[in-house]
């Protein structure tokens, strides 16, 4: 990246975006973060980035506005982009009622940032995709490489369809223009700053468990499908891999998987939460949705994503195992509750 330039992070007040901003700022980068909140990123984000504010500039921006996106270069020299902004519909009903918003946000928001990157001579463009494109493989033990045909055979719903389309657009801009792009498929993230927002309505299982335990103060949880597994990945590990995609010397691959690379079960999650000092609750297994406090539907079933390419080409190595990540998440959750920032902010 050019000396004195900034990294543009779109969707920077969202769950993954704000962790990327924190990772970049801690590494000494100057960051320009976009948010659609008219009053700025909000007190919860400001608290999370405490001590790093002099490295982060915020702009209120709807990425569907191609003119405003193009004008970013007039006030800021951008050397790299990590495109985290996305509309994540949580239900068929939301797809039905907000189809245009979802498609314009996800597709044209990406096109507009790619156009800006091309015109502004941005050195590196990282598109944040999702492991959701793989769908369910039916085999929870077999790892899933980037070469899996799943995304192109199982695409359904606006979210998966737009993710796949944007991956291909990102790759084609790389082929057409003198720019370096890559797409990174993030899987099963959890951790600090996960919360409902205007464009993110579906929370992960670990969030929902902690909400019952820490916020609702449940003494006993009734849980089904305790053997359900995913490669749960602490958000700062996710962010560090995404930043590695920005920093790695070219040539880099068009696709990377981004997870911890190891599956863990809901049973292991509950055990890890119980082992955090000061957290007390019991749980019991139930057999149907009517009896269960959590979860009603656990979603996609697959093996862990294969992260060998990210290891070899980007130097990525996850730092948080499940116990360490859960401990950090609980400590953060308790801390922002004590400050009165959670769950209101």
């Amino acid at each position: 990246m050019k000396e004195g330039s900034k990294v543009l992070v779109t969707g920077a007040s969202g769950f993954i975006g704000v962790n990327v901003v924190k990772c970049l700022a801690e590494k000494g980068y100057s960051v320009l973060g976009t948010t659609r909140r008219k009053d700025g990123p909000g007190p919860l984000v400001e608290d999370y980035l405490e001590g790093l504010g002099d490295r982060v500039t915020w702009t209120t921006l709807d990425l569907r506005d191609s003119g405003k996106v193009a004008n970013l270069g007039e006030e800021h020299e951008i050397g790299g982009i990590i495109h985290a902004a996305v509309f994540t519909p949580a239900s068929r009903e939301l797809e039905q009622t907000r189809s245009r918003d979802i498609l314009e946000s996800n597709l044209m928001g990406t096109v507009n940032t790619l156009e800006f990157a091309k015109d502004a001579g941005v050195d590196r463009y990282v598109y944040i995709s999702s492991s959701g494109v793989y769908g369910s493989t039916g085999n929870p033990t077999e790892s899933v490489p980037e070469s899996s045909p799943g995304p192109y055979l199982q695409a359904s719903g606006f979210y998966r369809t737009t993710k796949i389309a944007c991956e291909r657009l990102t790759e084609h801009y790389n082929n057409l223009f003198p720019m370096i792009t890559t797409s990174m498929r993030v899987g099963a993230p959890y951790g600090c700053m996960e919360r409902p927002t205007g464009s993110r309505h579906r929370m992960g299982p670990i969030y929902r468990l902690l909400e019952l335990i820490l916020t609702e103060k449940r003494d006993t949880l009734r849980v089904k499908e305790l053997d359900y597994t995913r490669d749960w990945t602490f958000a700062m590990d996710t962010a560090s891999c995404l930043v590695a995609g920005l920093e790695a010397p070219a040539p880099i691959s068009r696709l990377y998987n981004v997870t911890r690379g190891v599956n863990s079960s809901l049973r292991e999650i509950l055990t890890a939460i119980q082992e955090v000092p000061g957290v007390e609750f019991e749980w019991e297994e139930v057999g149907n949705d009517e009896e269960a406090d959590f979860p009603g539907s656990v979603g996609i079933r697959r093996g862990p994503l294969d992260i060998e390419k990210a290891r070899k080409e980007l130097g990525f190595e996850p730092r948080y195992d499940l116990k360490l990540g859960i401990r950090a998440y609980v400590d953060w959750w308790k801390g922002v509750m004590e400050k009165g920032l959670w769950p209101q902010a």
Side-chain angles (χ1 to χ4, degrees):
M1 282 178 47
K2 301 172 186 175
E3 187 175 350
S5 66
K6 296 177 180 178
V7 179
L8 172 64
V9 179
T10 68
S13 60
F15 172 35
I16 297 301
V18 73
N19 279 280
V20 169
V21 169
K22 184 170 187 174
C23 183
L24 286 165
E26 288 179 341
K27 291 170 74 74
Y29 287 93
S30 295
V31 181
L32 175 64
T34 75
T35 178
R36 288 204 288 184
R37 288 177 56 124
K38 294 181 180 179
D39 56 349
L44 191 64
V45 171
E46 292 169 357
D47 178 79
Y48 192 56
L49 299 177
E50 184 178 7
L52 301 169
D54 59 337
R55 296 177 183 166
V56 183
T57 303
W58 292 92
T59 183
T60 299
L61 179 65
D62 188 330
L63 296 177
R64 294 175 294 181
D65 190 327
S66 59
K68 288 186 178 180
V69 174
N71 288 339
L72 284 172
E74 294 182 0
E75 297 183 14
H76 309 276
E77 183 171 5
I78 305 299
I81 297 175
I82 298 181
H83 180 34
V86 65
F87 192 136
T88 308
S91 66
R92 178 181 175 86
E93 181 182 9
L94 196 58
E95 287 192 324
Q96 290 172 328
T97 57
R98 300 193 63 185
S99 56
R100 180 176 293 276
D101 287 340
I102 296 164
L103 294 173
E104 287 185 347
S105 294
N106 293 357
L107 291 173
M108 293 313 301
T110 302
V111 169
N112 289 339
T113 55
L114 283 165
E115 281 289 303
F116 170 75
K118 176 196 71 173
D119 294 339
V122 171
D123 298 322
R124 183 69 57 87
Y125 181 99
V126 176
Y127 174 68
I128 300 181
S129 188
S130 168
S131 68
V133 301
Y134 293 114
S136 293
T137 66
N139 187 341
T141 61
E142 184 177 355
S143 62
V144 183
E146 290 89 347
S147 59
S148 168
Y152 308 103
L153 298 178
Q154 300 185 32
S156 62
F158 288 150
Y159 181 74
R160 286 189 201 173
T161 301
T162 56
K163 283 296 184 186
I164 293 168
C166 290
E167 287 182 1
R168 301 309 296 267
L169 288 169
T170 298
E171 179 184 4
H172 200 49
Y173 268 75
N174 189 108
N175 296 336
L176 286 175
F177 306 109
M179 56 192 296
I180 300 172
T181 72
T182 188
S183 296
M184 306 186 75
R185 292 173 174 166
V186 168
Y190 72 94
C192 312
M193 294 301 297
E194 182 177 12
R195 79 278 191 210
T197 65
S199 58
R200 188 174 192 272
H201 305 273
R202 178 179 292 141
M203 298 298 102
I206 298 177
Y207 170 94
R208 288 185 278 169
L209 285 171
L210 292 184
E211 186 174 43
L212 293 170
I213 297 164
L214 299 179
T215 302
E216 297 185 16
K217 308 293 186 182
R218 299 282 187 92
D219 295 323
T220 303
L221 299 184
R222 296 181 295 275
V223 188
K224 59 172 288 194
E225 301 193 61
L226 289 170
D227 293 325
Y228 172 70
T229 61
R230 285 291 296 276
D231 43 355
W232 317 107
T233 305
F234 191 62
M236 280 303 289
D237 272 340
T238 300
S240 70
C241 190
L242 295 168
V243 172
L246 184 81
E247 295 177 320
I252 58 174
S253 296
R254 68 181 182 89
L255 281 175
Y256 292 98
N257 286 334
V258 182
T259 73
R260 192 165 61 94
V262 178
N263 269 5
S264 300
S265 67
L266 287 178
R267 190 187 307 274
E268 291 172 291
I269 290 169
L270 287 162
T271 300
I273 297 172
Q274 282 184 317
E275 291 178 355
V276 177
V279 177
E280 295 184 5
F281 72 98
E282 300 296 330
W283 51 270
E284 60 185 45
E285 185 172 12
V286 298
N288 56 63
D289 289 347
E290 290 72 23
E291 296 177 288
D293 295 318
F294 169 87
S297 174
V298 292
I300 289 172
R301 298 176 183 274
R302 60 161 174 77
L305 299 192
D306 187 328
I307 59 171
E308 285 309 303
K309 187 188 290 187
R311 281 193 167 109
K312 292 177 181 177
E313 298 182 13
L314 306 180
F316 170 59
E317 193 61 46
R319 295 188 298 115
Y320 291 84
D321 62 18
L322 186 66
K323 290 183 179 180
L324 188 60
I326 292 288
R327 172 68 181 270
Y329 194 6
V330 170
D331 288 347
W332 170 81
W333 193 305
K334 286 184 171 182
V336 293
M337 284 183 67
E338 290 173 359
K339 295 174 183 177
L341 296 173
W342 186 261
Q344 294 86 1

